[in-house]
Amino acid sequence: MYVADSRATASAAGSVRPPAGRRLPTVAPTVLALGTVSLITDVSSEMVTAVLPLYLVAGLGLSPLGFGLLDGVYNGVSALVRLAGGHLADRGGGRHKWVAGAGYALSAACKPLLLVAQTLTPIGLVLAVDRTGKGLRTAPRDALISLSSTPETRGRAFGVHRAMDTAGALLGPLAAFLVLRATVDGYDAVFTVSFCVAVVGVLVLVLFVPRGASAPLDRSATRATLRAAFALLGRRDLRRITVCALLLGLATVSDSFVYLLLQRRLGVPDRWFALLPLGTAAAFLLLAVPLGRIADRVGRWRMFLGGHLALLLAYGLLLSSWHGPALPYTVLFLHGAFYAATDGVLMAAAADSVPPELRSSGLALVQTGQALARFACSLSFGAAWTAWGDRTALTGSAVALTLCGLIALALRPTTPERPA
């Protein structure tokens, strides 16, 4: 059993204990720097994500099953390397920044390759490499955020980071929309501009994100090995969090499918499709910080499950007979609320159950389970849409989300969360 050393924890990855009588800053500079990197990078990635469904389905003529396969690759293949990224960042200490930087650089290098990929196989390979970069960077980045924050303010720190990240997600589709309207070869121009923006994000990471100091852990601390990482699942709360994230991920329909469903329901013209993610991003940006602060007070697991309830309500509206003008706004608001209540909150909850020297590896375990589940959901949803239609596929997902939510409620972590 790991016994935390207070001096080690205070100095881990740039988290410094303030002198007596002084309060720790609400949000550490490391969190703000990483938020800036994520903002810029999300402008780049969301430019591609905003046009990719329409580019593949309408432009290249892929079936829903073919798109489901590619979308699963785009969102799930990173699971194969998340553990590797977390393990590399933990070994030796202080490598979080450079492992994350390698992931950002790899994703940036993939953007111009979309200019020459025109069929299913090469596009799938490019997207797989891009998501490999995301897999490498996610756990080290989140570990830096958690290690730079106190347990009492961890939800708020993740909320601030996700809000900045989502500001980029808000600007990305808007940039893609403007590029598509201003150029003749719209998709090629979007991919080119996306690459240039991604390079700027990598430069900001290298120049402005602190490296982070390795923690002078005592001899009782666990060494960062793969065996030690998997042994973390022996911790009851982390195991339950991982299982619940996996179960709920199995019923979480991909964003791209949500937007395609909304477009079909409302008859949105193709040229306006890239603007649909703006609604999700705007709600995420508006709610990420306040919901993170509330999660610190009322419990992160309650907030996490509440976010999935918002997603279930969005599914219900898409299946309902309501055709009012407020339908798209309500669905996208609920979709954004789901992310605001779950994305950073899940990492904050998992960080409470992982020691500092294995923080990247522990968070990667949770992320891996969730990513694999969402990969499976994309494949199954695309297959169900192709075989039985979009309404039947969404109905099945709604039923599955209800059942998985009830199981997650029963399996919730038992350790009381520390109040803010």
Side-chain angles (χ1 to χ4, degrees):
M1 179 70 66
Y2 171 78
V3 180
D5 181 85
S6 60
R7 292 171 298 175
T9 304
S11 59
S15 176
V16 181
R17 185 177 297 278
R22 290 182 58 187
R23 295 182 61 187
L24 192 69
T26 302
V27 179
T30 297
V31 176
L32 297 177
L34 286 168
T36 302
V37 174
S38 293
L39 188 156
I40 297 171
T41 302
D42 249 38
V43 171
S44 170
S45 62
E46 292 301 321
M47 286 182 67
V48 174
T49 301
V51 302
L52 197 60
L54 198 62
Y55 175 64
L56 295 175
V57 175
L60 301 183
L62 290 182
S63 67
L65 177 58
F67 176 73
L69 175 61
L70 279 181
D71 190 69
V73 168
Y74 192 71
N75 291 291
V77 76
S78 62
L80 300 176
V81 293
R82 287 183 190 234
L83 287 175
H87 176 64
L88 290 173
D90 284 335
R91 284 183 63 87
R95 295 183 181 178
H96 300 84
K97 171 182 175 176
W98 301 116
V99 174
Y104 281 112
L106 187 61
S107 293
C110 290
K111 299 300 187 295
L113 297 180
L114 290 171
L115 295 170
V116 295
Q118 299 293 323
T119 58
L120 182 63
T121 299
I123 290 175
L125 290 174
V126 172
L127 294 181
V129 175
D130 177 79
R131 294 299 91 180
T132 297
K134 181 176 177 61
L136 283 175
R137 70 181 184 250
T138 301
R141 180 204 64 199
D142 285 349
L144 278 173
I145 294 171
S146 68
L147 290 168
S148 300
S149 310
T150 64
E152 294 81 7
T153 61
R154 206 166 272 150
R156 184 182 309 172
F158 275 102
V160 169
H161 173 268
R162 287 336 192 236
M164 297 179 72
D165 181 273
T166 307
L170 187 65
L171 295 173
L174 180 59
F177 172 74
L178 294 175
V179 171
L180 285 174
R181 289 183 63 88
T183 59
V184 177
D185 298 324
Y187 292 119
D188 289 351
V190 168
F191 299 149
T192 301
V193 174
S194 173
F195 167 68
C196 296
V197 175
V199 171
V200 174
V202 175
L203 291 176
V204 171
L205 176 92
V206 172
L207 296 176
F208 297 105
V209 174
R211 176 179 178 273
S214 60
L217 296 173
D218 60 23
R219 293 181 180 179
S220 66
T222 306
R223 291 185 59 203
T225 64
L226 287 176
R227 182 176 181 180
F230 284 105
L232 289 171
L233 292 176
R235 295 169 176 256
R236 185 178 183 182
D237 280 352
L238 184 65
R239 182 173 64 251
R240 290 190 173 196
I241 288 172
T242 304
V243 170
C244 291
L246 189 153
L247 285 174
L248 291 167
L250 288 172
T252 302
V253 176
S254 165
D255 297 357
S256 299
F257 276 126
V258 170
Y259 302 141
L260 286 172
L261 288 166
L262 199 55
Q263 185 205 26
R264 291 194 170 203
R265 176 77 183 274
L266 301 175
V268 176
D270 289 352
R271 66 180 181 276
W272 299 104
F273 181 83
L275 293 181
L276 290 178
L278 292 178
T280 298
F284 194 169
L285 177 62
L286 179 68
L287 297 174
V289 175
L291 291 186
R293 297 182 66 180
I294 293 173
D296 285 335
R297 291 185 170 89
V298 304
R300 291 157 191 157
W301 198 245
R302 293 178 183 175
M303 182 63 67
F304 182 70
L305 293 179
H308 285 86
L309 177 60
L311 182 63
L312 184 61
L313 291 174
Y315 291 175
L317 288 176
L318 286 171
L319 291 169
S320 71
S321 58
W322 181 34
H323 287 81
L327 174 64
Y329 304 102
T330 306
V331 169
L332 293 175
F333 179 84
L334 289 170
H335 197 225
F338 156 69
Y339 279 112
T342 59
D343 190 11
V345 171
L346 176 62
M347 292 297 97
D352 293 335
S353 303
V354 183
E357 75 278 4
L358 291 173
R359 186 62 52 82
S360 288
S361 301
L363 297 185
L365 284 172
V366 180
Q367 294 165 355
T368 297
Q370 187 179 59
L372 286 174
R374 290 183 176 179
F375 173 75
C377 184
S378 287
L379 291 180
S380 60
F381 189 87
W385 185 336
T386 302
W388 302 302
D390 54 350
R391 288 186 63 84
T392 301
L394 187 60
T395 300
S397 294
V399 172
L401 182 59
T402 301
L403 294 176
C404 291
L406 293 174
I407 296 173
L409 182 62
L411 291 178
R412 64 188 182 276
T414 55
T415 301
E417 295 178 291
R418 192 179 306 186

